Amino acid sequence: MKSANQRINQVFKAIADPTRREIFHALVVASVAMPITQISEQFDISRQGVTKHIKTLEEAGLINIDTKGRERFCTADPKPLKMVFDWVGFYDKFWDDALNRLDDHLG
Amino acid sequence: MKSANQRINQVFKAIADPTRREIFHALVVASVAMPITQISEQFDISRQGVTKHIKTLEEAGLINIDTKGRERFCTADPKPLKMVFDWVGFYDKFWDDALNRLDDHLG
DNA sequence: ATTAAAAGCAACCAAATAGTTGCATTAATT
DNA sequence: AATTAATGCAACTATTTGGTTGCTTTTAAT
């Protein structure tokens, strides 16, 4: 059970950084595999900076990498976000909290 | 628009830490205002450690604090999680990605 | 009035983070 | 064969982070 928890932590950590969210988003909307250099051209930070972010995203399972020749093609994989979706989904019962808590107490 | 972005970043940062998620969760399920010392008793780290986490959660708007006498009563406020819900909700279209992308291309 | 409880404040620490630069390697291109 | 492009690797830096301890202040209880 420990590794599942680790994975969740990795996902939360990966999406915590705004630049990483941007990289991920760019890959999702591109909906085509992109090599690292091409990705990094869209950002102000250095290629190596982008590479580090990509590594973090890959460790979280949010990016898959397919090496072809000298290039490494990255594709977004949103599946791990389901864990975040489920996590946050638990709390949506409490968004209109006053109402719902009242219901709970009555029910 | 900048402060809205900052707020989103604060929320993502706040939920990135597992201990903070636990503190938040404990407050949600307690569904009653709890002073800091009482919260910190449920965790292995020091009271000041918990205080710092609570500050981060408060800055993200995930905790409200009501000072009464020498105590500071904390309550969870899940509302800001709606931003996370919306963010992640965008990507749920891509969870069964092969299928959906095919649809997009056809549609 | 004394004591005890709740919390804040400040300094400190080790580790992680986000970023950089320089250089080496590998694979295409010409 | 020589060059160029894509990447990796390593070292370094500044800042942030998650945590600690010690002490002070404020408020409640005895």
Side-chain angles (χ1 to χ4, degrees):
Chain A
M1 297 297 125
K2 191 186 162 199
S3 67
N5 256 322
Q6 280 176 216
R7 172 47 67 97
I8 277 218
N9 288 343
Q10 282 178 315
V11 173
F12 274 104
K13 176 185 143 196
I15 65 174
D17 184 86
T19 303
R20 265 187 314 258
R21 288 199 303 277
E22 282 186 49
I23 292 173
F24 176 74
H25 190 263
L27 282 172
V28 168
V29 300
S31 72
V32 66
M34 284 174 55
I36 293 179
T37 298
Q38 194 180 335
I39 298 170
S40 70
E41 279 163 4
Q42 309 177 39
F43 295 89
D44 285 339
I45 63 178
S46 69
R47 174 182 57 84
Q48 281 84 347
V50 171
T51 295
K52 281 194 180 183
H53 282 309
I54 286 178
K55 194 185 164 208
T56 304
L57 287 162
E58 193 198 10
E59 282 165 0
L62 289 166
I63 282 186
N64 292 320
I65 302 185
D66 181 27
T67 302
K68 261 186 188 140
R70 64 180 163 179
E71 287 167 303
R72 303 184 70 212
F73 289 89
C74 305
T75 49
D77 183 355
K79 285 189 215 74
L81 290 185
K82 181 141 192 346
M83 295 190 285
V84 179
F85 187 79
D86 291 342
W87 180 83
V88 79
F90 174 80
Y91 302 105
D92 80 355
K93 318 177 188 100
F94 303 96
W95 284 343
D96 304 318
D97 52 344
L99 230 60
N100 280 298
R101 280 188 206 154
L102 195 59
D103 288 350
D104 286 351
H105 291 164
L106 294 175
Chain B
M1 295 296 125
K2 193 189 163 199
S3 67
N5 255 321
Q6 278 176 219
R7 171 48 65 98
I8 276 218
N9 287 344
Q10 281 177 315
V11 173
F12 273 104
K13 178 186 142 196
I15 64 174
D17 183 84
T19 304
R20 265 186 314 258
R21 288 200 302 279
E22 282 185 51
I23 291 174
F24 176 74
H25 191 265
L27 281 173
V28 168
V29 299
S31 74
V32 66
M34 282 175 58
I36 294 179
T37 298
Q38 193 181 335
I39 297 170
S40 71
E41 279 164 3
Q42 308 177 39
F43 295 88
D44 285 339
I45 63 179
S46 69
R47 175 182 57 85
Q48 281 85 346
V50 171
T51 295
K52 282 194 180 182
H53 283 310
I54 286 178
K55 194 184 163 206
T56 303
L57 288 162
E58 193 197 9
E59 281 165 1
L62 289 165
I63 281 186
N64 292 319
I65 302 184
D66 181 26
T67 302
K68 260 185 190 141
R70 65 181 162 180
E71 287 167 302
R72 302 186 70 213
F73 289 89
C74 306
T75 50
D77 182 356
K79 285 189 215 75
L81 290 184
K82 182 145 192 345
M83 296 190 286
V84 178
F85 187 80
D86 291 343
W87 180 83
V88 79
F90 174 81
Y91 302 105
D92 80 356
K93 318 175 188 99
F94 303 96
W95 283 343
D96 304 318
D97 52 345
L99 230 60
N100 280 300
R101 279 188 206 156
L102 196 59
D103 287 350
D104 287 351
H105 291 163
L106 295 175

